[in-house]
């Protein structure tokens, strides 16, 4: 009579791919589960695909961006394609780290009540004035001419959310990041902000107290969502 062993070998535990890299001297560890549970904004984390997660991780890795410091965003709304973008602060940090960076000026283009156009530094406007654009000028010590960008409000404003409540701040930001990218193409080439892609920088769904300050690994937290089941499909 044949005898069968009732003890079956335990199923092998599937390993989660961990991507480790340095960002501004800090070691960052990302996995697909960490990105999905903590770093996807816009309310579409349950619909973000492995390919979109992989694009976000690779952007952070190869550009040396720390998403915990809001230097990069993965924005997902419903079933729409995810938008992978870089925060404005990351642009400024990269530019300031270049020894040839020599400052910048930025502001808004305003149509005044009498119909005249004024280029104004900063974002101050008064009643009955209309914002029609933004401008920025970036200086390099090793260039004889500055890099200047002027952008149209009509081209970028959605009229919603921050575009409706803080239009001057938003259009100035677009002009500034474009001027910075023109001035430092090696450091900033291929990096775009949410506003340039028709999106906005949303607050990330990150429980910062659930991140180990020394290792950068996620620790269990009461308000943190449970990790999604391991995917059989590989990202890499």
């Amino acid at each position: 009579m044949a005898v069968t062993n009732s003890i079956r070998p335990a199923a092998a535990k599937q390993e989660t791919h961990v991507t480790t890299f340095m960002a501004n001297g800090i070691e960052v560890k990302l996995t697909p589960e960490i990105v999905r549970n903590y770093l996807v904004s816009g309310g579409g984390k349950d619909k973000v695909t492995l390919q979109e997660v992989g694009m976000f991780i690779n952007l952070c890795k190869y550009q040396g961006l720390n998403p915990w410091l809001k230097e990069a965003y993965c924005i997902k709304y419903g079933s729409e394609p995810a938008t992978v973008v870089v925060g404005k602060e990351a642009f400024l940090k990269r530019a300031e780290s270049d020894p040839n960076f020599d400052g910048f000026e930025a502001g808004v283009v305003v149509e005044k009540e009498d119909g005249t156009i004024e280029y104004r530094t900063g974002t101050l406007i008064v009643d009955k004035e209309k914002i029609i654009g933004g401008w920025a000028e970036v200086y390099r010590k090793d260039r004889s001419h500055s890099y200047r960008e002027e952008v149209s409000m009509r081209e970028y404003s959605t009229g919603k959310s921050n575009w409706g409540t803080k239009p001057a701040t938003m259009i100035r930001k677009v002009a500034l990041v474009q001027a910075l990218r023109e001035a430092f193409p090696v450091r900033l080439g291929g990096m775009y902000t949410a506003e340039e892609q028709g999106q906005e920088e949303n607050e990330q769904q990150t429980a910062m107290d659930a991140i180990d300050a020394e290792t950068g690994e996620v620790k269990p937290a009461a308000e943190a969502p449970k990790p999604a089941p391991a995917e059989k499909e590989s990202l890499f």
Side-chain angles (χ1 to χ4, degrees):
M1 182 177 64
V3 178
T4 58
N5 190 345
S6 61
I7 302 177
R8 297 180 180 178
K13 183 178 179 180
Q14 183 167 341
E15 296 184 359
T16 298
H17 187 95
V18 180
T19 299
T20 304
F21 58 93
M22 301 298 293
N24 299 315
I26 300 175
E27 184 180 79
V28 178
K29 295 180 180 180
L30 295 177
T31 68
E33 291 77 17
I34 289 175
V35 173
R36 275 180 165 161
N37 292 333
Y38 297 92
L39 296 172
V40 176
S41 59
K45 70 172 186 175
D46 294 332
K47 294 185 180 295
V48 69
T49 67
L50 285 173
Q51 181 181 15
E52 291 168 340
V53 170
M55 289 174 58
F56 177 73
I57 291 176
N58 284 325
L59 171 72
C60 294
K61 176 181 178 180
Y62 293 112
Q63 294 289 359
L65 300 170
N66 189 340
W68 303 113
L69 299 180
K70 299 183 180 180
E71 294 181 346
Y73 294 82
C74 182
I75 305 171
K76 179 77 172 183
Y77 290 104
S79 58
E80 294 293 320
T83 304
V84 178
V85 293
V86 178
K88 185 198 74 173
E89 299 306 320
F91 276 77
L92 288 172
K93 288 178 183 178
R94 290 287 178 88
E96 290 180 350
S97 68
D98 192 298
N100 290 311
F101 179 69
D102 200 26
F104 70 89
E105 296 178 283
V108 292
V109 185
V110 178
E111 181 179 345
K112 301 173 71 174
E113 187 177 2
D114 61 4
T116 58
I117 304 299
E118 179 180 338
Y119 285 76
R120 189 172 297 170
T121 300
T123 59
L124 178 64
I125 60 171
V126 298
D127 293 341
K128 298 184 179 181
E129 291 184 334
K130 179 182 178 182
I131 303 171
I132 61 175
W135 67 273
E137 197 159 3
V138 176
Y139 304 93
R140 287 185 56 142
K141 298 174 183 177
D142 60 342
R143 299 288 190 272
S144 60
H145 296 82
S146 62
Y147 291 82
R148 184 180 178 91
E149 287 290 331
E150 298 179 10
V151 296
S152 171
M153 191 74 174
R154 182 182 301 176
E155 184 175 355
Y156 291 97
S157 176
T158 62
K160 301 177 182 178
S161 192
N162 284 337
W163 281 108
T165 59
K166 302 177 181 178
T169 298
M170 299 293 279
I171 198 63
R172 177 184 178 273
K173 182 191 296 187
V174 172
L176 177 56
V177 297
Q178 290 194 8
L180 289 168
R181 191 167 51 239
E182 289 287 334
F184 299 96
V186 175
R187 289 179 179 267
L188 302 175
M191 295 167 53
Y192 297 88
T193 62
E195 291 75 17
E196 293 179 284
Q197 301 295 315
Q199 303 286 349
E200 291 186 27
E201 291 182 5
N202 293 321
E203 290 297 321
Q204 292 170 297
Q205 300 168 345
T206 303
M208 292 305 292
D209 59 341
I211 308 301
D212 190 295
E214 295 182 357
T215 66
E217 296 178 345
V218 176
K219 300 183 294 183
E223 68 274 20
K226 294 181 180 180
E231 299 282 353
K232 292 182 179 180
E233 181 181 354
S234 176
L235 276 171
F236 304 90

